[in-house]
Amino acid sequence: MSRGQPPEFLPSSAGTAYVIRAGRLIDPETGTATSDQYISVKDGRIVEIGPNVAPSVGVETIDLSAFSVLPGLVDAHNHLALTYKKFPENDVYYYTYIQDSTAIRAIQAVSNGMQMLSSGFTVVRDLGNNALYVDSALRIAIEQGWVPGPTIINSGIIIGGTGGQFHPTPEMARYHSIVYPEYLEADTPDEIVKAVRQNVLFGAKVIKIMVDSQPYPYTVEDMKLFVKEAANAGGLKVAGHVQTEEGARRAIEAGIWSIEHDVALNDELHKLMAQKGIWRVGTETPFTEYSSTQEEFDRRVVRMKSAYANGVKMAFSTDADYYVPGMSRGQVVIDFLKTWKAAGIPSKEILKIMTTNGCKVSDIYGKRGPLKPGFPADIIAVNGNPLEEIDSLRNVSFVMKDGLVFKRDGVMTPERFLHGGPVNGWRIW
Ligand SMILES: [Zn+2]
C-alpha cells in the first residue's frame, strides 16, 4: 500500500465471494465474446474466469445467463459536482457558482456518482468546476468506504491564466470571493509550479489546464512546465481544455496527455495527435431536444469521423454538468452514443473506446478495467449484444463494483457500500 492510496484489498469487500454465470462474456479489447462462462469473485477481485469454474460451497451464484457480461464503462470527462439548470439560472453556469454552495454541490456529486454507477460507469474522470475540491472529497469518500460510486480520477481546481475560463467582474477578480473556487490562476512559471502542487496536495489525480480560453493562452514552454511538474508529482498527466487551433497546435507540441473538447480539432491536427499519441477527449454532445443544434452536431460528426479515420486515440467523454428533467446523470451521459453512431463508428469499436480506451486515458489500465484474474471486479451486464448493437448499453441491469453488487435486476442495491466510518482506512487522500 503506497502513501495515500486505497489498500490493494479493500476491507469493504473482504469476505465476499460470488460466482457470476455469464451467458455471453465480452472482451471489448479484442471485440470478441465467449458463451457460457463463469467468473469467480472473491474479496473484491476476480479470481478465475472460464467455462468450468467449480462452484465453492456457500458461494452465491449470480445468474446472468440471459445477459451480456462486460467490464464497466468509463466517462473520461464529467463534472459530478456541477449541475446547472434551466430554472432558475437559464443554464448559465456562471450563476450556478453563485447560488450553489460547495456543501450542496458535494451532496449532488455523491448522487450523480451513484447515478453514473447505475448506468454502468465504473470509472469517471472528473475534470474540475467542482467548487472547493468537492471532486477530491468525493473520491476520498468512495475510496474510504462511505458511499458507493465510480472510481474517480479527479483534477482538483482547473488551472488557467488570470480569470480562468471566465470573464469576472473586476469586483470578483479583485476580491476572489465569487466564482474563484472554480479556477486557480497561474500566469508565471513560479505560479504554475505552485498551482500544480496545490492541486496535488488537495487530492488531484490528473492536472487540468485551460490552454487558450483567454486572449493570453499558455505558451508551449508553459505547458511543458505543467507536464514536467505533474510528472514530478507522482507521474500525473496533464489534460488541456482547448478551444482554438493555435491552442491545440501548442498543446500537441508541448506533448500534453489529452486534449479536452473537439471544437478546435481538424484533419491536420488529428494527424499530428495520432503521430504523437495524444488522447482526444472530444466531449461530443449529441443533438437532442435539450442540447446542441443540427449545424453544431453535423460539424461535430465530421470532426469525429476525421479523428477515427486518422487513428487518433479516442475516449468516450461528455462534459456532463447539467440537469435534464426526467433524466439521471447516467442517462444524459449514455445519450452521447447518438454522436458516435452518427459518425458511423462500429459498435465494437465504440465499446472498446468506452472501456479499454477509457481506462487508458484515465491512466489506470494496468490496475483496473479489464476482466482478468487479480483485477478489481468491476462488472456490468446488459440485455442484447453491445458488440453488435451499442444501444444495448442504455439498459444496464447489473453492476458490480469492487466485487460488491451495486445493481441487480435493474434495481440499485447500495447497502453493502455504506459504512459508518472509513472502513477502508482514513489515510486515503
Ligand atoms: Zn468540462
Side-chain angles (χ1 to χ4, degrees), residues 77-79 127-129 158 208 241 260-261 283 319-321:
H77 188 132
N78 200 303
H79 301 276
L127 291 188
N129 293 137
I158 300 170
K208 164 91 176 283
H241 166 112
E260 310 294 316
H261 311 299
T283 66
D319 208 15
D321 51 9

Side-chain angles (χ1 to χ4, degrees), residues 30-349:
T30 57
T32 57
T34 39
S35 52
D36 298 321
Q37 298 289 303
Y38 292 84
I39 308 169
S40 70
V41 174
K42 192 171 185 302
D43 299 329
R45 291 187 178 251
I46 295 168
V47 178
E48 197 183 349
I49 303 176
N52 298 307
V53 172
S56 328
V57 179
V59 172
E60 184 191 345
T61 298
I62 298 172
D63 185 4
L64 299 173
S65 57
F67 293 87
S68 291
V69 174
L70 61 151
L73 311 174
V74 183
D75 182 351
H77 188 132
N78 200 303
H79 301 276
L80 294 174
L82 173 60
T83 306
Y84 58 86
K85 307 168 287 298
K86 196 84 194 155
F87 182 81
E89 67 261 45
N90 199 27
D91 285 335
V92 179
Y93 66 118
Y94 196 84
Y95 299 131
T96 312
Y97 300 131
I98 294 168
Q99 68 180 13
D100 283 1
S101 66
T102 292
I104 190 70
R105 287 170 64 183
I107 294 168
Q108 293 169 3
V110 172
S111 179
N112 281 333
M114 289 176 68
Q115 293 167 48
M116 290 294 290
L117 200 53
S118 181
S119 286
F121 289 85
T122 54
V123 179
V124 171
R125 209 160 157 257
D126 199 355
L127 291 188
N129 293 137
N130 286 319
L132 206 48
Y133 295 104
V134 165
D135 52 333
S136 293
L138 176 65
R139 178 181 59 71
I140 291 165
I142 292 166
E143 292 179 2
Q144 288 190 349
W146 293 95
V147 291
T151 294
I152 304 285
I153 312 299
N154 65 298
S155 72
I157 299 178
I158 300 170
I159 304 169
T162 288
Q165 191 177 2
F166 280 157
H167 300 276
T169 59
E171 291 84 347
M172 288 181 187
R174 179 158 178 206
Y175 299 111
H176 279 207
S177 56
I178 307 176
V179 170
Y180 270 87
E182 302 304 326
Y183 297 97
L184 206 49
E185 294 175 332
D187 292 302
T188 65
D190 282 356
E191 289 170 354
I192 286 171
V193 170
K194 192 86 180 162
V196 170
R197 291 181 181 186
Q198 177 180 317
N199 270 347
V200 173
L201 179 65
F202 295 130
K205 297 299 176 189
V206 59
I207 298 302
K208 164 91 176 283
I209 65 173
M210 303 302 307
V211 172
D212 54 2
S213 52
Q214 299 288 1
Y216 32 84
Y218 280 130
T219 64
V220 173
E221 289 312 306
D222 290 335
M223 285 188 269
K224 282 185 173 168
L225 181 55
F226 272 114
V227 170
K228 182 172 160 222
E229 190 55 34
N232 180 53
L236 299 194
K237 303 297 194 284
V238 176
H241 166 112
V242 169
Q243 61 191 60
T244 65
E245 285 183 31
E246 176 59 22
R249 201 164 276 113
R250 292 182 187 189
I252 293 166
E253 190 183 337
I256 70 168
W257 176 255
S258 62
I259 288 183
E260 310 294 316
H261 311 299
D262 65 342
V263 284
L265 302 178
N266 57 32
D267 209 53
E268 181 213 340
L269 292 165
H270 284 144
K271 284 183 167 61
L272 291 173
M273 288 172 74
Q275 260 170 34
K276 292 198 76 165
I278 291 171
W279 283 98
R280 183 188 197 269
V281 183
T283 66
E284 300 90 350
T285 308
F287 173 45
T288 64
E289 64 275 15
Y290 57 83
S291 64
S292 195
T293 63
Q294 186 68 55
E295 296 70 35
E296 239 174 37
F297 183 67
D298 292 345
R299 286 195 294 272
R300 183 154 272 152
V301 168
V302 167
R303 291 193 294 264
M304 188 182 262
K305 283 180 172 171
S306 153
Y308 185 67
N310 280 301
V312 178
K313 297 196 294 187
M314 298 167 83
F316 181 84
S317 53
T318 63
D319 208 15
D321 51 9
Y322 46 88
Y323 171 50
V324 181
M327 295 175 82
S328 72
R329 178 61 65 96
Q331 287 167 331
V332 167
V333 163
I334 202 69
D335 214 24
F336 279 58
L337 285 177
K338 283 175 179 155
T339 317
W340 293 84
K341 287 179 65 173
I345 299 176
S347 286
K348 67 169 64 168
E349 291 297 326

